[in-house]
Amino acid sequence: EEAGEVIETQSITSLQKNMKHLIMIGDHKQLRPKMENYKLSTSSNEGYNFNVSMFERLIEHQIEHGVLEVQHRMRPEISKLIKKTYPSLIDGE
């Protein structure tokens, strides 16, 4: 699974006391974890926000992280479509 799609409780239960580093890979701006109960999601405005991953919460709270800056998979015409979401992303050669 991508780190942005894993619910927070699943991430927390895998942590151990003697851990020194945590590496999570994914995109916090794409897919969120799926919730079967709408009331628990951010869309319901109930305040539970269970469909926000630990990955997304850490990034929102300014935890040190790296971001892809150069992409090589999309043609430039296609990557233009996502510039609002990823303004610093540049096209590789």
Side-chain angles (χ1 to χ4, degrees), residues 30-47:
Q30 283 191 21
L31 299 174
R32 281 191 161 155
K34 292 170 184 56
M35 292 273 93
E36 296 297 324
N37 185 333
Y38 176 77
K39 188 175 180 178
L40 299 177
S41 72
T42 56
S43 302
S44 72
N45 294 318
E46 294 280 335

Side-chain angles (χ1 to χ4, degrees), residues 50-67:
F50 281 5
N51 68 328
V52 177
S53 66
M54 185 168 93
F55 185 59
E56 183 177 350
R57 290 182 204 274
L58 290 172
I59 291 173
E60 286 178 357
H61 286 89
Q62 306 301 313
I63 299 298
E64 183 181 348
H65 64 281
V67 178

Side-chain angles (χ1 to χ4, degrees), residues 61-79:
H61 286 89
Q62 306 301 313
I63 299 298
E64 183 181 348
H65 64 281
V67 178
L68 177 70
E69 295 175 355
V70 180
Q71 73 82 22
H72 297 275
R73 296 177 70 182
M74 292 179 274
R75 294 178 56 97
E77 303 85 48
I78 303 294
S79 69

